[in-house]
Amino acid sequence: MAENEDGQEKTEQPTPRRREKAIEEGNLARSRELGNAVVFGSGVVAVMAGGPAFARAAAGWLRGALSPDLRVLEDQGLLLGYAATLLAKLLIVVLPLVGLAVLACLVAPVLMGGIHFNTKSLVPKPERLDPLAALKRIYSADGLAELAKSLLRVAMLGIACGLVLVHGFDVLRAMPGQSLEDAVRTGLGFAGRLIGAAAVALLLLAAADAPYQKWNWTRKLKMTRQEVREEMKETDGNPQVKGKIRQMQYQMSQRRMMEAVPTADVVVVNPTHYAVALKYDGGSMRAPRVVAKGVDELALRIREVAAAHRITTVSAPPLARALYREGQIDKEIPVRLYAAVAQVLSYVYQLRAWRPGTGRPPQLGEVPVDEFPEGKAP
């Protein structure tokens, strides 16, 4: 079982964040055998499919190279330009094969998880120059696995090519008795079978190596339970920090709520446990809004602020409890409480208009409220 530096077993599968971080650092699952098989195999297929066309192009270039321009022999100053022309023509001949090989180089990374460009891989790492570290890598489990894979590659190529040689020995022995054209055709066919067998051997090795490399890459990225917990803290936030943030947000919301109490028209109280501050502006609001609400200590603070700013306080216990449970800050009151709140606001407006000596002060009377409507009883 893999362990980290603290001796803890890495039993947990790597998280998506762990995989993304590894890819960002240039640590990806790669299979050299798959790359070799794809490049070599694509070259074999291209040569077999376009052999005659390549042969004609190569023959034409060779014919031109062996038939030099007589002006070059007379003026050696033209030799450099002539050589450059020959090189350019040769590049045109081999360009299809080179282009196919370059495209084939991109196939293996795509099959192993995609192509990712990362500049961190280009940064020099002095620790790689440490001979002790190099020896440790060579004689590590991965180094031994690479050695075994190299020996297996040689063995598979030897077996594949050996079988072709054994079965084609009679064909090779008959070549000296053939005409030149037949011998060339026979030799090219035998060479095609030979490189085809080599391509199959490399493909079989890649079919075994690619899944192993994916498995080994995942195994190295495995995490301990402590590492998973630490990553969750980094991703989701430390619970203590999140608690502190929630506390600060609650304090800020309370502060804003208390600042809105002086703008209220009335504070409906329990009278001791609940307090709800309401505001209504007929010109801009469809219905009264709850600007502050609280219970116990917070209710006491709301009443104190209301008293300091001469906001009318009305005692209506059932209405206060219903508004506290169903009302939301900065939201309109529930529709079912419209009539009761309208009765309270009417009383407040009458109280504001009343002057001592003009008769009896207005009385609120009972405010009928169904505190627990059907389906909402506690």
Side-chain angles (χ1 to χ4, degrees):
M1 188 71 69
E3 297 182 352
N4 68 349
E5 296 178 355
D6 299 330
Q8 298 180 359
E9 292 185 354
K10 296 184 176 182
T11 57
E12 307 302 316
Q13 291 296 322
T15 60
R17 176 56 188 155
R18 178 68 170 255
R19 294 174 183 268
E20 292 175 2
K21 188 175 180 180
I23 293 174
E24 290 173 359
E25 294 175 352
N27 179 13
L28 300 96
R30 289 292 180 255
S31 172
R32 296 180 182 177
E33 304 305 326
L34 181 60
N36 294 337
V38 172
V39 174
F40 187 77
S42 62
V44 171
V45 172
V47 169
M48 289 183 174
F54 289 135
R56 286 193 299 269
W61 178 84
L62 185 61
R63 190 179 300 110
L66 297 177
S67 302
D69 192 343
L70 297 178
R71 291 177 300 174
V72 177
L73 300 177
E74 297 174 357
D75 186 0
Q76 296 182 357
L78 301 175
L79 182 60
L80 184 60
Y82 180 74
T85 302
L86 285 179
L87 180 60
K89 291 181 178 179
L90 178 61
L91 290 176
I92 294 175
V93 173
V94 300
L95 187 61
L97 282 176
V98 174
L100 182 62
V102 172
L103 292 177
C105 290
L106 303 177
V107 173
V110 171
L111 294 177
M112 291 297 292
I115 299 176
H116 301 272
F117 297 96
N118 191 291
T119 57
K120 292 183 179 180
S121 301
L122 303 177
V123 177
K125 296 182 178 179
E127 60 270 16
R128 292 186 176 273
L129 301 178
D130 186 358
L132 295 178
L135 289 174
K136 186 176 180 180
R137 286 195 302 270
I138 292 173
Y139 293 103
S140 64
D142 291 338
L144 294 177
E146 290 296 324
L147 176 61
K149 191 167 55 177
S150 299
L151 295 176
L152 182 61
R153 184 191 311 117
V154 173
M156 293 183 67
L157 287 174
I159 293 173
C161 295
L163 291 174
V164 173
L165 288 172
V166 169
H167 289 85
F169 184 74
D170 293 337
V171 175
L172 293 176
R173 189 171 57 181
M175 286 179 61
Q178 297 177 350
S179 64
L180 179 60
E181 292 183 356
D182 292 340
V184 170
R185 189 177 298 108
T186 301
L188 290 176
F190 180 80
R193 291 193 295 273
L194 191 65
I195 61 177
V200 171
L202 291 177
L203 184 60
L204 292 176
L205 184 60
D209 183 63
Y212 167 76
Q213 294 298 340
K214 283 287 262 185
W215 171 84
N216 193 39
W217 181 71
T218 303
R219 179 185 64 84
K220 292 180 179 179
L221 292 181
K222 278 189 174 182
M223 309 167 67
T224 65
R225 294 183 178 180
Q226 181 62 28
E227 289 174 335
V228 173
R229 286 193 290 266
E230 292 295 332
E231 184 178 287
M232 291 180 62
K233 287 182 180 180
E234 293 178 1
T235 304
D236 300 333
N238 191 306
Q240 296 178 349
V241 176
K242 292 176 67 176
K244 186 66 174 178
I245 292 175
R246 285 196 295 267
Q247 181 182 3
M248 293 176 62
Q249 291 175 340
Y250 176 71
Q251 292 175 351
M252 291 176 62
S253 65
Q254 279 195 337
R255 189 180 306 114
R256 289 194 299 268
M257 187 175 66
M258 299 306 295
E259 291 174 353
V261 172
T263 66
D265 292 308
V266 62
V267 175
V268 183
V269 298
N270 188 29
T272 57
H273 295 291
Y274 293 86
V276 180
L278 302 176
K279 178 179 178 60
Y280 179 64
D281 183 354
S284 60
M285 297 180 184
R286 297 183 305 174
R289 291 176 178 268
V290 177
V291 296
K293 67 176 185 176
V295 65
D296 296 333
E297 293 184 5
L298 185 56
L300 178 60
R301 290 175 54 195
I302 292 174
R303 292 196 299 271
E304 290 175 350
V305 173
H309 291 82
R310 296 183 179 180
I311 306 298
T312 304
T313 299
V314 174
S315 178
L319 178 60
R321 291 191 291 267
L323 285 171
Y324 180 82
R325 280 192 297 268
E326 302 177 33
Q328 298 182 27
I329 303 298
D330 292 331
K331 301 291 184 181
E332 295 179 355
I333 63 172
V335 175
R336 77 177 194 89
L337 300 178
Y338 276 8
V341 172
Q343 181 181 347
V344 171
L345 289 176
S346 176
Y347 163 72
V348 171
Y349 297 150
Q350 294 176 20
L351 192 61
R352 289 178 182 175
W354 178 77
R355 294 290 182 271
T358 60
R360 293 178 57 189
Q363 301 295 319
L364 176 61
E366 184 180 357
V367 181
V369 173
D370 186 2
E371 187 176 351
F372 300 111
E374 184 178 355
K376 294 187 178 181

